[in-house]
Amino acid sequence: KKDVRMLRFIQEVNTTTRSCALWDLEEDTEYIVHVQSISMSGTSPLSEPVLFRTPKESEKLASKSP
């Protein structure tokens, strides 16, 4: 979360996947995500931050209506 000093590490091993699903996010909350590669030769620098806000429940319902 952007306003809380909390880190969550998601680790994927031996993958070429270019996406990752995040879960248990709170609605109407700002998040910051960084990506980093870890290999036998060391770690990469952190990616540029990706900032986003999760939608409110009402926004999710509105996007599903015709």
Side-chain angles (χ1 to χ4, degrees), residues 8 10 14 21 23 31 34 37 44 56-57 59-61:
R8 180 191 299 178
I10 300 172
N14 297 330
W23 62 96
Y31 288 90
H34 292 273
S37 171
S44 71
K56 296 177 186 177
E57 188 64 30
E59 292 171 344
K60 289 189 282 185
L61 295 174

Side-chain angles (χ1 to χ4, degrees), residues 11 22 32 35-36 38 40 42-44 52 54 60 65:
Q11 181 176 347
L22 304 177
I32 302 172
V35 177
Q36 182 178 39
I38 302 172
M40 296 293 284
T43 59
S44 71
F52 65 95
T54 52
K60 289 189 282 185
S65 64

